[in-house]
């Protein structure tokens, strides 16, 4: 168990597609603990294995607040089995220190994964809650997709990236999300912005 160095935006490791875990070995359990230790040390809501240099399909999330007990959720080989609706999500990422921007996300998701013991579970997160958005953010990391690929406003995203000394949005990686954009504009959902 250790606090690992978080890989920053610009490193190709973040753009690689991660491999499925074939066996919940000691190595995977150590990876999970390292992810949790590193996420808590950096006050993050979630962290995916590629962010600490392991291109494996594993991520962790904890959406508990300061006055609640810790509530880590471990996702190994996750599959998003249902998604619907759309919300604007004001997001950051531990690989992009202090750079936040508005992105499009599904409002509701259902994910199937294995826990740290290899036991399958299903988790549903609705109403654009932090967990729903974090699942999508972390899941993307496993496919080499970054939150800025979902940005709603390139100029806004580039401005903050530039301020933080980070590379601009790679426009060739932007994800086409006309349906989500339309839904966000037609049915705006007010979400608190202070939790990330
Ligand atoms: Zn991230």
């Amino acid at each position: 168990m250790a606090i690992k160095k978080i890989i920053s935006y610009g490193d190709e490791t973040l753009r690689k597609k991660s491999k499925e875990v074939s066996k919940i070995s000691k190595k995977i359990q150590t990876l999970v603990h390292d992810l949790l230790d590193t996420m808590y040390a950096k006050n993050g809501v979630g962290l995916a294995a590629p962010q600490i240099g392991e291109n494996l399909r594993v991520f962790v999330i904890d959406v508990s607040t300061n006055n609640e007990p810790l509530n880590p959720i471990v996702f190994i080989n996750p599959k998003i089995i249902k998604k619907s609706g759309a919300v604007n999500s004001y997001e950051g990422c531990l690989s992009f220190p202090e750079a936040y921007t508005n992105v499009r996300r599904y409002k509701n998701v259902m994910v199937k994964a294995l826990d740290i013991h290899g036991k399958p579970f299903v988790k549903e997160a609705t109403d654009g809650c932090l967990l729903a958005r974090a699942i999508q953010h972390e899941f993307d990391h496993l496919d080499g997709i970054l939150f800025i690929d979902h940005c709603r406003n390139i100029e806004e995203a580039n401005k903050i990236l530039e301020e933080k000394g980070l590379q601009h949005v790679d426009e060739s990686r932007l994800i086409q999300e006309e349906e989500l954009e339309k839904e966000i504009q037609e049915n705006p959902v007010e979400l608190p912005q202070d939790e990330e």
Side-chain angles (χ1 to χ4, degrees), residues 46 51 92-96 137-138 141 146-147:
Q51 291 179 279
C93 175
L94 291 174
S95 295
F96 294 68
H137 179 119
E138 302 309 331
H141 273 301
L146 300 171
F147 75 113

Side-chain angles (χ1 to χ4, degrees), residues 81-114:
I81 51 178
K82 240 198 242 179
K83 51 191 182 187
S84 63
V87 284
N88 179 80
S89 179
Y90 187 64
E91 288 182 23
C93 175
L94 291 174
S95 295
F96 294 68
E98 294 169 58
Y100 289 80
T101 197
N102 291 295
V103 303
R104 302 177 199 98
R105 293 293 182 195
Y106 290 95
K107 189 176 174 182
N108 313 298
V109 289
M110 195 185 273
V111 58
K112 197 174 130 186
L114 303 178

Side-chain angles (χ1 to χ4, degrees), residues 109-163:
V109 289
M110 195 185 273
V111 58
K112 197 174 130 186
L114 303 178
D115 69 12
I116 193 168
H117 307 293
K119 192 168 163 263
F121 68 95
V122 171
K123 190 101 198 156
E124 188 173 21
T126 58
D127 293 326
C129 66
L130 181 54
L131 178 61
R133 292 176 287 132
I135 287 171
Q136 296 171 72
H137 179 119
E138 302 309 331
F139 184 86
D140 272 352
H141 273 301
L142 309 183
D143 288 328
I145 297 169
L146 300 171
F147 75 113
I148 52 166
D149 302 342
H150 295 277
C151 72
R152 296 186 62 200
N153 183 322
I154 301 171
E155 288 74 32
E156 178 199 78
N158 281 339
K159 187 166 171 280
I160 184 74
L161 290 170
E162 209 168 293
E163 276 171 24

